[in-house]
Amino acid sequence: MIRMEGICKIYKLGSIEVPALQGVSLDIERGEMIAVMGPSGSGKSTLMNIIGCLDQPTSGVYELDGIDVGRLNDNHLAEIRNKKIGFVFQSYNLLSRTSALANVELPLIYSRVRNGRQRAREALERVGLAERMRHKPNELSGGEQQRVAIARALINAPSIILADEPTGNLDSRTSKEIMDLFTQLNRDEGMTIVLITHESEIADYTRRVINMRDGLITREEVLRQ
Amino acid sequence: MNLIESVVIAFRGISANRLRSFLTMLGIVIGIGAVISLMSVGRGVEVEITARLEGLGTNLIFVRPAGRAAALTIQDAEAIADPANVPSAALVAPEISTFFDVVAGPKSVNAQILGVTPAYAEVRNIGVAEGEFITPQDERSMVALLGANVAEALFYGDSPIGEWVKINQHNFRVIGVLESRGGMDGPPREMNGPPRGMAGPGDGMMAGPDDAVMVPITTAMYQLIPQRPVSLISVQAIDANEVGPAIEQITTLLRQRHRITGDDEDSFIVIDMGDILEMATEITAILTIFLGSIAGIALLVGGIGVMNIMLVSVTERTREIGIRKAVGAKRRDILMQFLIESATLSLSGGLIGLLLGWGLSRLISGIAMSAGHPLPTVMAPDIVILAVSVTIGIGLFFGIYPAMRAARLNPIDALRYE
């Protein structure tokens, strides 16, 4: 479903060129749950931005569901993010002045879907937050906020969920709950999930771990079948 | 994202920062308030002037003394009335004017005393509510007609016909009461009268008949105020097309009679209603330009305020923009969101300004009323529509740059923004 070949990303800081990715090739199948690990500066965030269509590679080929993403313009990228990608961030990234329900509904507003409210309600039920829909993010705990973010990622039935350090701000008990939720979504609903993390305990939830360093994939291990 | 939803979001944003939003709107509020009050007062004056001038008829010409040798006599009026001299004139009505106390028993009012001829009623379109107007038989007799306000002040609604009033030690028998022109007839005299120039005191060109007392001109000349020159001659042309020729004929005649030759200054002015209308329009226009430019500056400043606060808002909400972009908002969506927000902000200011302007024009109207110069204000729907569209326009114009900045933000940087 995701095919990346020789992806390079070079940032230009003034006249200095900073290579963030130096030829990454990666395939991800539908229904996989994989972890991308690496220290900071290894290029894992850049990789996630490219997979998530927030950024485009300087060179190389990236196909998502058979679409050559590298050739798309801004509007098409926004559309792909809207329909095919669900983001979960370390700092939740919810709109602070709006209720959980409205936050979850947000992607539907941009895909111009009618009766989004109902779907948003269902998504919140799926992540176990049926009781707290009307609450604003600052009235929710960290774990609950992350559940809202996951519900938002799920709402458009994306091809892939990209989670960037999803448990980075959570205590270990809540982290486990969130990881159990991801595992359940992957196992029961066949959701494709890519986790970016630097914690090996988190990577242990997945079946395939990709290690990165200096903009390259250094090691790829399959933990469980 | 549909429009209503966007407006709701915009309102939520505005009310989240109530003080800031209000301060931002202030320029717009003042600007629109000024425009609205200006326009409604200006419109009121215009309507008033037009109505009054139309009431008098467009065929009307006024001859008044002017200049160093200013003097008009009853004989001048008689000469104008002679069709051999001024064939374009249909009716001629000279008047003599002064102010006196009018006394009835214990009560007394200071009123304008007009010495008029029988033709005056028709030329100046004055009706009689009760009794009858001065007839040729009344020449030199001590009879008077009271304006509606004078009659009310002296007789409290009782019929004054046949009663006696004392004017400057002379007894006059009341033969009629003039039809009231109503409260709206009160003049902005300064605004729609011809230049007052060298005219003697108390000229009656545009004074309301409600506050006047009319007596036969001959009585005024020989008993009441001897030696007073004619203060005004009203001439009605045969029709609107004859106004121009009539003015020419009158000017030629009077120059001849007054022995004015060559470049010598005329001792009189001849003007028609068109001139007066033009003058009034000119004054209104100058006022409009002056106040309008003040309003324009306020709106400009207000617009810049809107732009400033929108730039702040875009910076503050960089992360929000990043989130929206990450979940699929296109540039256009972000652009629209911020444009609608600045338009809503500006429009809110405009609506408050509309209320302010309305209140202000009512206040001006009220002050004018209590000062004895009723000044109606007009709040027409087109003024409201103009204000609304101008403020939306300002919001869009000054919002476009901040909105474009928001739309162009790179989602990755925006998400990382602290």
Side-chain angles (χ1 to χ4, degrees), chain B residues 11 14 21-34 36 299 302 306 341-357 387-388 391-392 394:
Chain B
F11 264 118
I14 289 167
S21 307
F22 177 72
L23 292 176
T24 303
M25 288 180 219
L26 212 52
I28 306 268
V29 171
I30 292 169
I32 290 294
I36 293 298
L299 285 180
V306 167
E341 201 165 314
S342 63
T344 307
L345 185 68
S346 174
L347 179 62
S348 310
L351 293 179
I352 296 172
L354 202 65
L355 287 177
L356 180 80
V388 166
T391 43
I392 291 179
I394 287 174

PDB file of all heavy atoms in Angstrom, chain B residues 11 14 21-34 36 299 302 306 341-357 387-388 391-392 394:
ATOM      1  N   PHE B  11     -17.501  34.329  15.165  1.00  0.00           N
ATOM      2  CA  PHE B  11     -18.109  34.999  16.315  1.00  0.00           C
ATOM      3  C   PHE B  11     -17.528  34.473  17.619  1.00  0.00           C
ATOM      4  O   PHE B  11     -17.286  35.227  18.559  1.00  0.00           O
ATOM      5  CB  PHE B  11     -19.630  34.807  16.324  1.00  0.00           C
ATOM      6  CG  PHE B  11     -20.352  35.969  15.712  1.00  0.00           C
ATOM      7  CD1 PHE B  11     -21.129  35.806  14.590  1.00  0.00           C
ATOM      8  CD2 PHE B  11     -20.236  37.242  16.268  1.00  0.00           C
ATOM      9  CE1 PHE B  11     -21.781  36.881  14.017  1.00  0.00           C
ATOM     10  CE2 PHE B  11     -20.889  38.318  15.704  1.00  0.00           C
ATOM     11  CZ  PHE B  11     -21.662  38.137  14.575  1.00  0.00           C
ATOM     12  N   ILE B  14     -14.301  36.113  18.100  1.00  0.00           N
ATOM     13  CA  ILE B  14     -14.456  37.516  18.483  1.00  0.00           C
ATOM     14  C   ILE B  14     -14.834  37.625  19.952  1.00  0.00           C
ATOM     15  O   ILE B  14     -14.288  38.426  20.707  1.00  0.00           O
ATOM     16  CB  ILE B  14     -15.518  38.200  17.602  1.00  0.00           C
ATOM     17  CG1 ILE B  14     -14.975  38.375  16.182  1.00  0.00           C
ATOM     18  CG2 ILE B  14     -15.926  39.552  18.171  1.00  0.00           C
ATOM     19  CD1 ILE B  14     -16.002  38.750  15.164  1.00  0.00           C
ATOM     20  N   SER B  21     -11.387  42.696  20.576  1.00  0.00           N
ATOM     21  CA  SER B  21     -12.233  42.827  19.393  1.00  0.00           C
ATOM     22  C   SER B  21     -12.913  44.187  19.373  1.00  0.00           C
ATOM     23  O   SER B  21     -12.981  44.841  18.332  1.00  0.00           O
ATOM     24  CB  SER B  21     -13.294  41.729  19.370  1.00  0.00           C
ATOM     25  OG  SER B  21     -12.696  40.471  19.496  1.00  0.00           O
ATOM     26  N   PHE B  22     -13.382  44.600  20.540  1.00  0.00           N
ATOM     27  CA  PHE B  22     -14.100  45.870  20.582  1.00  0.00           C
ATOM     28  C   PHE B  22     -13.173  47.031  20.222  1.00  0.00           C
ATOM     29  O   PHE B  22     -13.530  47.910  19.448  1.00  0.00           O
ATOM     30  CB  PHE B  22     -14.719  46.103  21.963  1.00  0.00           C
ATOM     31  CG  PHE B  22     -15.408  47.437  22.067  1.00  0.00           C
ATOM     32  CD1 PHE B  22     -16.614  47.659  21.420  1.00  0.00           C
ATOM     33  CD2 PHE B  22     -14.840  48.483  22.774  1.00  0.00           C
ATOM     34  CE1 PHE B  22     -17.246  48.892  21.482  1.00  0.00           C
ATOM     35  CE2 PHE B  22     -15.459  49.718  22.846  1.00  0.00           C
ATOM     36  CZ  PHE B  22     -16.673  49.917  22.200  1.00  0.00           C
ATOM     37  N   LEU B  23     -11.968  47.005  20.791  1.00  0.00           N
ATOM     38  CA  LEU B  23     -11.020  48.084  20.497  1.00  0.00           C
ATOM     39  C   LEU B  23     -10.692  48.108  19.008  1.00  0.00           C
ATOM     40  O   LEU B  23     -10.553  49.161  18.404  1.00  0.00           O
ATOM     41  CB  LEU B  23      -9.746  47.911  21.332  1.00  0.00           C
ATOM     42  CG  LEU B  23      -9.937  48.134  22.827  1.00  0.00           C
ATOM     43  CD1 LEU B  23      -8.657  47.850  23.580  1.00  0.00           C
ATOM     44  CD2 LEU B  23     -10.413  49.551  23.112  1.00  0.00           C
ATOM     45  N   THR B  24     -10.579  46.906  18.450  1.00  0.00           N
ATOM     46  CA  THR B  24     -10.303  46.824  17.019  1.00  0.00           C
ATOM     47  C   THR B  24     -11.430  47.439  16.205  1.00  0.00           C
ATOM     48  O   THR B  24     -11.217  48.142  15.233  1.00  0.00           O
ATOM     49  CB  THR B  24     -10.134  45.350  16.615  1.00  0.00           C
ATOM     50  OG1 THR B  24      -9.100  44.810  17.400  1.00  0.00           O
ATOM     51  CG2 THR B  24      -9.803  45.220  15.152  1.00  0.00           C
ATOM     52  N   MET B  25     -12.641  47.147  16.650  1.00  0.00           N
ATOM     53  CA  MET B  25     -13.806  47.608  15.900  1.00  0.00           C
ATOM     54  C   MET B  25     -14.031  49.107  16.027  1.00  0.00           C
ATOM     55  O   MET B  25     -14.749  49.695  15.239  1.00  0.00           O
ATOM     56  CB  MET B  25     -15.064  46.927  16.418  1.00  0.00           C
ATOM     57  CG  MET B  25     -15.196  45.478  16.080  1.00  0.00           C
ATOM     58  SD  MET B  25     -16.766  44.980  16.811  1.00  0.00           S
ATOM     59  CE  MET B  25     -16.391  43.397  17.420  1.00  0.00           C
ATOM     60  N   LEU B  26     -13.425  49.707  17.040  1.00  0.00           N
ATOM     61  CA  LEU B  26     -13.767  51.081  17.385  1.00  0.00           C
ATOM     62  C   LEU B  26     -13.663  52.033  16.187  1.00  0.00           C
ATOM     63  O   LEU B  26     -14.547  52.866  15.967  1.00  0.00           O
ATOM     64  CB  LEU B  26     -12.863  51.561  18.522  1.00  0.00           C
ATOM     65  CG  LEU B  26     -13.487  52.564  19.481  1.00  0.00           C
ATOM     66  CD1 LEU B  26     -14.810  52.068  20.003  1.00  0.00           C
ATOM     67  CD2 LEU B  26     -12.538  52.856  20.625  1.00  0.00           C
ATOM     68  N   GLY B  27     -12.587  51.905  15.437  1.00  0.00           N
ATOM     69  CA  GLY B  27     -12.407  52.762  14.261  1.00  0.00           C
ATOM     70  C   GLY B  27     -13.571  52.621  13.300  1.00  0.00           C
ATOM     71  O   GLY B  27     -14.110  53.604  12.785  1.00  0.00           O
ATOM     72  N   ILE B  28     -13.967  51.366  13.067  1.00  0.00           N
ATOM     73  CA  ILE B  28     -15.085  51.098  12.172  1.00  0.00           C
ATOM     74  C   ILE B  28     -16.366  51.672  12.775  1.00  0.00           C
ATOM     75  O   ILE B  28     -17.181  52.289  12.075  1.00  0.00           O
ATOM     76  CB  ILE B  28     -15.260  49.573  11.974  1.00  0.00           C
ATOM     77  CG1 ILE B  28     -13.948  48.947  11.515  1.00  0.00           C
ATOM     78  CG2 ILE B  28     -16.419  49.267  11.051  1.00  0.00           C
ATOM     79  CD1 ILE B  28     -13.751  48.831  10.059  1.00  0.00           C
ATOM     80  N   VAL B  29     -16.537  51.457  14.086  1.00  0.00           N
ATOM     81  CA  VAL B  29     -17.745  51.947  14.764  1.00  0.00           C
ATOM     82  C   VAL B  29     -17.868  53.461  14.570  1.00  0.00           C
ATOM     83  O   VAL B  29     -18.914  53.968  14.156  1.00  0.00           O
ATOM     84  CB  VAL B  29     -17.689  51.616  16.276  1.00  0.00           C
ATOM     85  CG1 VAL B  29     -18.814  52.316  17.020  1.00  0.00           C
ATOM     86  CG2 VAL B  29     -17.780  50.117  16.493  1.00  0.00           C
ATOM     87  N   ILE B  30     -16.768  54.172  14.828  1.00  0.00           N
ATOM     88  CA  ILE B  30     -16.800  55.631  14.712  1.00  0.00           C
ATOM     89  C   ILE B  30     -17.031  56.039  13.261  1.00  0.00           C
ATOM     90  O   ILE B  30     -17.860  56.904  12.967  1.00  0.00           O
ATOM     91  CB  ILE B  30     -15.483  56.231  15.253  1.00  0.00           C
ATOM     92  CG1 ILE B  30     -15.405  56.012  16.760  1.00  0.00           C
ATOM     93  CG2 ILE B  30     -15.379  57.710  14.922  1.00  0.00           C
ATOM     94  CD1 ILE B  30     -14.052  56.320  17.373  1.00  0.00           C
ATOM     95  N   GLY B  31     -16.313  55.402  12.372  1.00  0.00           N
ATOM     96  CA  GLY B  31     -16.443  55.744  10.955  1.00  0.00           C
ATOM     97  C   GLY B  31     -17.862  55.558  10.459  1.00  0.00           C
ATOM     98  O   GLY B  31     -18.455  56.469   9.859  1.00  0.00           O
ATOM     99  N   ILE B  32     -18.408  54.388  10.724  1.00  0.00           N
ATOM    100  CA  ILE B  32     -19.761  54.108  10.244  1.00  0.00           C
ATOM    101  C   ILE B  32     -20.767  54.992  10.975  1.00  0.00           C
ATOM    102  O   ILE B  32     -21.709  55.518  10.375  1.00  0.00           O
ATOM    103  CB  ILE B  32     -20.098  52.608  10.425  1.00  0.00           C
ATOM    104  CG1 ILE B  32     -19.281  51.777   9.446  1.00  0.00           C
ATOM    105  CG2 ILE B  32     -21.574  52.355  10.220  1.00  0.00           C
ATOM    106  CD1 ILE B  32     -19.612  51.990   7.998  1.00  0.00           C
ATOM    107  N   GLY B  33     -20.548  55.174  12.272  1.00  0.00           N
ATOM    108  CA  GLY B  33     -21.440  56.055  13.034  1.00  0.00           C
ATOM    109  C   GLY B  33     -21.501  57.432  12.412  1.00  0.00           C
ATOM    110  O   GLY B  33     -22.574  58.010  12.239  1.00  0.00           O
ATOM    111  N   ALA B  34     -20.311  57.953  12.043  1.00  0.00           N
ATOM    112  CA  ALA B  34     -20.260  59.285  11.429  1.00  0.00           C
ATOM    113  C   ALA B  34     -20.981  59.286  10.087  1.00  0.00           C
ATOM    114  O   ALA B  34     -21.794  60.176   9.803  1.00  0.00           O
ATOM    115  CB  ALA B  34     -18.798  59.706  11.253  1.00  0.00           C
ATOM    116  N   ILE B  36     -23.314  57.300   8.992  1.00  0.00           N
ATOM    117  CA  ILE B  36     -24.750  57.106   9.122  1.00  0.00           C
ATOM    118  C   ILE B  36     -25.446  58.376   9.608  1.00  0.00           C
ATOM    119  O   ILE B  36     -26.437  58.831   9.022  1.00  0.00           O
ATOM    120  CB  ILE B  36     -25.054  55.948  10.101  1.00  0.00           C
ATOM    121  CG1 ILE B  36     -24.584  54.621   9.514  1.00  0.00           C
ATOM    122  CG2 ILE B  36     -26.531  55.881  10.425  1.00  0.00           C
ATOM    123  CD1 ILE B  36     -25.256  54.244   8.239  1.00  0.00           C
ATOM    124  N   LEU B 299     -12.644  55.193   8.941  1.00  0.00           N
ATOM    125  CA  LEU B 299     -12.815  53.848   8.387  1.00  0.00           C
ATOM    126  C   LEU B 299     -11.478  53.252   7.960  1.00  0.00           C
ATOM    127  O   LEU B 299     -11.226  52.065   8.148  1.00  0.00           O
ATOM    128  CB  LEU B 299     -13.777  53.884   7.201  1.00  0.00           C
ATOM    129  CG  LEU B 299     -15.247  54.048   7.561  1.00  0.00           C
ATOM    130  CD1 LEU B 299     -16.096  54.063   6.313  1.00  0.00           C
ATOM    131  CD2 LEU B 299     -15.689  52.921   8.480  1.00  0.00           C
ATOM    132  N   GLY B 302      -9.766  52.242  11.001  1.00  0.00           N
ATOM    133  CA  GLY B 302     -10.455  51.039  11.472  1.00  0.00           C
ATOM    134  C   GLY B 302     -10.029  49.817  10.685  1.00  0.00           C
ATOM    135  O   GLY B 302      -9.784  48.753  11.252  1.00  0.00           O
ATOM    136  N   VAL B 306      -8.230  46.384  11.873  1.00  0.00           N
ATOM    137  CA  VAL B 306      -8.701  45.024  11.592  1.00  0.00           C
ATOM    138  C   VAL B 306      -7.549  44.179  11.048  1.00  0.00           C
ATOM    139  O   VAL B 306      -7.325  43.043  11.479  1.00  0.00           O
ATOM    140  CB  VAL B 306      -9.876  45.048  10.586  1.00  0.00           C
ATOM    141  CG1 VAL B 306     -10.163  43.655  10.056  1.00  0.00           C
ATOM    142  CG2 VAL B 306     -11.116  45.624  11.236  1.00  0.00           C
ATOM    143  N   GLU B 341     -13.714  35.734   9.027  1.00  0.00           N
ATOM    144  CA  GLU B 341     -13.518  36.250  10.363  1.00  0.00           C
ATOM    145  C   GLU B 341     -13.296  37.763  10.352  1.00  0.00           C
ATOM    146  O   GLU B 341     -13.898  38.494  11.147  1.00  0.00           O
ATOM    147  CB  GLU B 341     -12.331  35.549  11.009  1.00  0.00           C
ATOM    148  CG  GLU B 341     -12.385  35.648  12.504  1.00  0.00           C
ATOM    149  CD  GLU B 341     -11.433  34.662  13.147  1.00  0.00           C
ATOM    150  OE1 GLU B 341     -11.424  33.495  12.728  1.00  0.00           O
ATOM    151  OE2 GLU B 341     -10.704  35.072  14.050  1.00  0.00           O
ATOM    152  N   SER B 342     -12.456  38.245   9.440  1.00  0.00           N
ATOM    153  CA  SER B 342     -12.209  39.696   9.428  1.00  0.00           C
ATOM    154  C   SER B 342     -13.454  40.436   8.960  1.00  0.00           C
ATOM    155  O   SER B 342     -13.765  41.519   9.461  1.00  0.00           O
ATOM    156  CB  SER B 342     -10.994  40.028   8.561  1.00  0.00           C
ATOM    157  OG  SER B 342     -11.227  39.665   7.229  1.00  0.00           O
ATOM    158  N   ALA B 343     -14.187  39.831   8.016  1.00  0.00           N
ATOM    159  CA  ALA B 343     -15.426  40.479   7.564  1.00  0.00           C
ATOM    160  C   ALA B 343     -16.435  40.530   8.705  1.00  0.00           C
ATOM    161  O   ALA B 343     -17.126  41.532   8.901  1.00  0.00           O
ATOM    162  CB  ALA B 343     -16.006  39.732   6.369  1.00  0.00           C
ATOM    163  N   THR B 344     -16.509  39.431   9.475  1.00  0.00           N
ATOM    164  CA  THR B 344     -17.442  39.397  10.598  1.00  0.00           C
ATOM    165  C   THR B 344     -17.066  40.437  11.648  1.00  0.00           C
ATOM    166  O   THR B 344     -17.920  41.157  12.169  1.00  0.00           O
ATOM    167  CB  THR B 344     -17.445  37.992  11.246  1.00  0.00           C
ATOM    168  OG1 THR B 344     -17.679  37.035  10.224  1.00  0.00           O
ATOM    169  CG2 THR B 344     -18.511  37.877  12.309  1.00  0.00           C
ATOM    170  N   LEU B 345     -15.767  40.518  11.902  1.00  0.00           N
ATOM    171  CA  LEU B 345     -15.276  41.499  12.875  1.00  0.00           C
ATOM    172  C   LEU B 345     -15.656  42.905  12.430  1.00  0.00           C
ATOM    173  O   LEU B 345     -16.223  43.694  13.190  1.00  0.00           O
ATOM    174  CB  LEU B 345     -13.754  41.364  12.978  1.00  0.00           C
ATOM    175  CG  LEU B 345     -13.043  42.218  14.016  1.00  0.00           C
ATOM    176  CD1 LEU B 345     -13.408  41.756  15.411  1.00  0.00           C
ATOM    177  CD2 LEU B 345     -11.540  42.139  13.827  1.00  0.00           C
ATOM    178  N   SER B 346     -15.350  43.192  11.171  1.00  0.00           N
ATOM    179  CA  SER B 346     -15.619  44.518  10.632  1.00  0.00           C
ATOM    180  C   SER B 346     -17.126  44.798  10.606  1.00  0.00           C
ATOM    181  O   SER B 346     -17.583  45.880  10.958  1.00  0.00           O
ATOM    182  CB  SER B 346     -15.029  44.600   9.221  1.00  0.00           C
ATOM    183  OG  SER B 346     -15.365  45.792   8.613  1.00  0.00           O
ATOM    184  N   LEU B 347     -17.877  43.768  10.202  1.00  0.00           N
ATOM    185  CA  LEU B 347     -19.331  43.944  10.118  1.00  0.00           C
ATOM    186  C   LEU B 347     -19.931  44.191  11.504  1.00  0.00           C
ATOM    187  O   LEU B 347     -20.837  45.015  11.654  1.00  0.00           O
ATOM    188  CB  LEU B 347     -19.976  42.711   9.467  1.00  0.00           C
ATOM    189  CG  LEU B 347     -21.491  42.747   9.339  1.00  0.00           C
ATOM    190  CD1 LEU B 347     -21.911  43.907   8.435  1.00  0.00           C
ATOM    191  CD2 LEU B 347     -22.030  41.449   8.787  1.00  0.00           C
ATOM    192  N   SER B 348     -19.419  43.485  12.515  1.00  0.00           N
ATOM    193  CA  SER B 348     -19.923  43.721  13.872  1.00  0.00           C
ATOM    194  C   SER B 348     -19.708  45.173  14.246  1.00  0.00           C
ATOM    195  O   SER B 348     -20.585  45.829  14.809  1.00  0.00           O
ATOM    196  CB  SER B 348     -19.204  42.825  14.875  1.00  0.00           C
ATOM    197  OG  SER B 348     -19.212  41.496  14.430  1.00  0.00           O
ATOM    198  N   GLY B 349     -18.503  45.674  13.934  1.00  0.00           N
ATOM    199  CA  GLY B 349     -18.223  47.083  14.176  1.00  0.00           C
ATOM    200  C   GLY B 349     -19.187  47.969  13.419  1.00  0.00           C
ATOM    201  O   GLY B 349     -19.695  48.960  13.948  1.00  0.00           O
ATOM    202  N   GLY B 350     -19.451  47.593  12.179  1.00  0.00           N
ATOM    203  CA  GLY B 350     -20.364  48.377  11.347  1.00  0.00           C
ATOM    204  C   GLY B 350     -21.761  48.414  11.926  1.00  0.00           C
ATOM    205  O   GLY B 350     -22.424  49.461  11.927  1.00  0.00           O
ATOM    206  N   LEU B 351     -22.219  47.275  12.459  1.00  0.00           N
ATOM    207  CA  LEU B 351     -23.575  47.233  13.014  1.00  0.00           C
ATOM    208  C   LEU B 351     -23.663  48.078  14.284  1.00  0.00           C
ATOM    209  O   LEU B 351     -24.642  48.794  14.492  1.00  0.00           O
ATOM    210  CB  LEU B 351     -23.991  45.785  13.298  1.00  0.00           C
ATOM    211  CG  LEU B 351     -24.170  44.925  12.037  1.00  0.00           C
ATOM    212  CD1 LEU B 351     -24.550  43.500  12.391  1.00  0.00           C
ATOM    213  CD2 LEU B 351     -25.214  45.528  11.110  1.00  0.00           C
ATOM    214  N   ILE B 352     -22.603  48.006  15.097  1.00  0.00           N
ATOM    215  CA  ILE B 352     -22.589  48.861  16.287  1.00  0.00           C
ATOM    216  C   ILE B 352     -22.570  50.324  15.845  1.00  0.00           C
ATOM    217  O   ILE B 352     -23.290  51.164  16.393  1.00  0.00           O
ATOM    218  CB  ILE B 352     -21.364  48.540  17.173  1.00  0.00           C
ATOM    219  CG1 ILE B 352     -21.466  47.105  17.696  1.00  0.00           C
ATOM    220  CG2 ILE B 352     -21.283  49.515  18.347  1.00  0.00           C
ATOM    221  CD1 ILE B 352     -20.225  46.629  18.426  1.00  0.00           C
ATOM    222  N   GLY B 353     -21.765  50.616  14.828  1.00  0.00           N
ATOM    223  CA  GLY B 353     -21.691  51.969  14.290  1.00  0.00           C
ATOM    224  C   GLY B 353     -23.030  52.440  13.753  1.00  0.00           C
ATOM    225  O   GLY B 353     -23.398  53.609  13.875  1.00  0.00           O
ATOM    226  N   LEU B 354     -23.761  51.492  13.173  1.00  0.00           N
ATOM    227  CA  LEU B 354     -25.083  51.806  12.640  1.00  0.00           C
ATOM    228  C   LEU B 354     -26.009  52.276  13.763  1.00  0.00           C
ATOM    229  O   LEU B 354     -26.705  53.289  13.639  1.00  0.00           O
ATOM    230  CB  LEU B 354     -25.650  50.536  12.001  1.00  0.00           C
ATOM    231  CG  LEU B 354     -26.736  50.670  10.955  1.00  0.00           C
ATOM    232  CD1 LEU B 354     -26.215  51.382   9.728  1.00  0.00           C
ATOM    233  CD2 LEU B 354     -27.250  49.297  10.571  1.00  0.00           C
ATOM    234  N   LEU B 355     -25.977  51.535  14.865  1.00  0.00           N
ATOM    235  CA  LEU B 355     -26.787  51.924  16.023  1.00  0.00           C
ATOM    236  C   LEU B 355     -26.336  53.285  16.554  1.00  0.00           C
ATOM    237  O   LEU B 355     -27.157  54.153  16.848  1.00  0.00           O
ATOM    238  CB  LEU B 355     -26.668  50.873  17.138  1.00  0.00           C
ATOM    239  CG  LEU B 355     -27.403  49.565  16.872  1.00  0.00           C
ATOM    240  CD1 LEU B 355     -27.159  48.578  18.004  1.00  0.00           C
ATOM    241  CD2 LEU B 355     -28.893  49.825  16.709  1.00  0.00           C
ATOM    242  N   LEU B 356     -25.021  53.450  16.645  1.00  0.00           N
ATOM    243  CA  LEU B 356     -24.467  54.702  17.141  1.00  0.00           C
ATOM    244  C   LEU B 356     -24.915  55.866  16.249  1.00  0.00           C
ATOM    245  O   LEU B 356     -25.376  56.898  16.739  1.00  0.00           O
ATOM    246  CB  LEU B 356     -22.940  54.619  17.158  1.00  0.00           C
ATOM    247  CG  LEU B 356     -22.204  55.861  17.646  1.00  0.00           C
ATOM    248  CD1 LEU B 356     -22.213  55.910  19.156  1.00  0.00           C
ATOM    249  CD2 LEU B 356     -20.779  55.884  17.131  1.00  0.00           C
ATOM    250  N   GLY B 357     -24.775  55.676  14.949  1.00  0.00           N
ATOM    251  CA  GLY B 357     -25.139  56.731  14.001  1.00  0.00           C
ATOM    252  C   GLY B 357     -26.614  57.064  14.074  1.00  0.00           C
ATOM    253  O   GLY B 357     -27.018  58.229  14.012  1.00  0.00           O
ATOM    254  N   ALA B 387     -23.908  50.855   4.562  1.00  0.00           N
ATOM    255  CA  ALA B 387     -23.035  50.681   5.724  1.00  0.00           C
ATOM    256  C   ALA B 387     -22.602  49.225   5.848  1.00  0.00           C
ATOM    257  O   ALA B 387     -21.426  48.925   6.074  1.00  0.00           O
ATOM    258  CB  ALA B 387     -23.747  51.126   6.990  1.00  0.00           C
ATOM    259  N   VAL B 388     -23.564  48.320   5.674  1.00  0.00           N
ATOM    260  CA  VAL B 388     -23.259  46.892   5.812  1.00  0.00           C
ATOM    261  C   VAL B 388     -22.262  46.460   4.745  1.00  0.00           C
ATOM    262  O   VAL B 388     -21.252  45.818   5.031  1.00  0.00           O
ATOM    263  CB  VAL B 388     -24.557  46.062   5.730  1.00  0.00           C
ATOM    264  CG1 VAL B 388     -24.241  44.595   5.536  1.00  0.00           C
ATOM    265  CG2 VAL B 388     -25.384  46.253   6.991  1.00  0.00           C
ATOM    266  N   THR B 391     -18.720  47.920   5.335  1.00  0.00           N
ATOM    267  CA  THR B 391     -17.935  47.285   6.400  1.00  0.00           C
ATOM    268  C   THR B 391     -17.488  45.890   5.989  1.00  0.00           C
ATOM    269  O   THR B 391     -16.361  45.491   6.282  1.00  0.00           O
ATOM    270  CB  THR B 391     -18.705  47.203   7.723  1.00  0.00           C
ATOM    271  OG1 THR B 391     -20.038  46.785   7.443  1.00  0.00           O
ATOM    272  CG2 THR B 391     -18.735  48.535   8.412  1.00  0.00           C
ATOM    273  N   ILE B 392     -18.364  45.158   5.299  1.00  0.00           N
ATOM    274  CA  ILE B 392     -17.935  43.839   4.823  1.00  0.00           C
ATOM    275  C   ILE B 392     -16.755  44.018   3.871  1.00  0.00           C
ATOM    276  O   ILE B 392     -15.754  43.307   3.946  1.00  0.00           O
ATOM    277  CB  ILE B 392     -19.098  43.097   4.135  1.00  0.00           C
ATOM    278  CG1 ILE B 392     -20.145  42.713   5.172  1.00  0.00           C
ATOM    279  CG2 ILE B 392     -18.592  41.856   3.425  1.00  0.00           C
ATOM    280  CD1 ILE B 392     -21.351  42.007   4.598  1.00  0.00           C
ATOM    281  N   ILE B 394     -14.570  46.464   3.790  1.00  0.00           N
ATOM    282  CA  ILE B 394     -13.364  46.822   4.552  1.00  0.00           C
ATOM    283  C   ILE B 394     -12.752  45.570   5.169  1.00  0.00           C
ATOM    284  O   ILE B 394     -11.544  45.348   5.097  1.00  0.00           O
ATOM    285  CB  ILE B 394     -13.702  47.850   5.649  1.00  0.00           C
ATOM    286  CG1 ILE B 394     -13.962  49.204   5.012  1.00  0.00           C
ATOM    287  CG2 ILE B 394     -12.562  47.963   6.663  1.00  0.00           C
ATOM    288  CD1 ILE B 394     -14.454  50.247   5.988  1.00  0.00           C
TER     289      ILE B 394
END
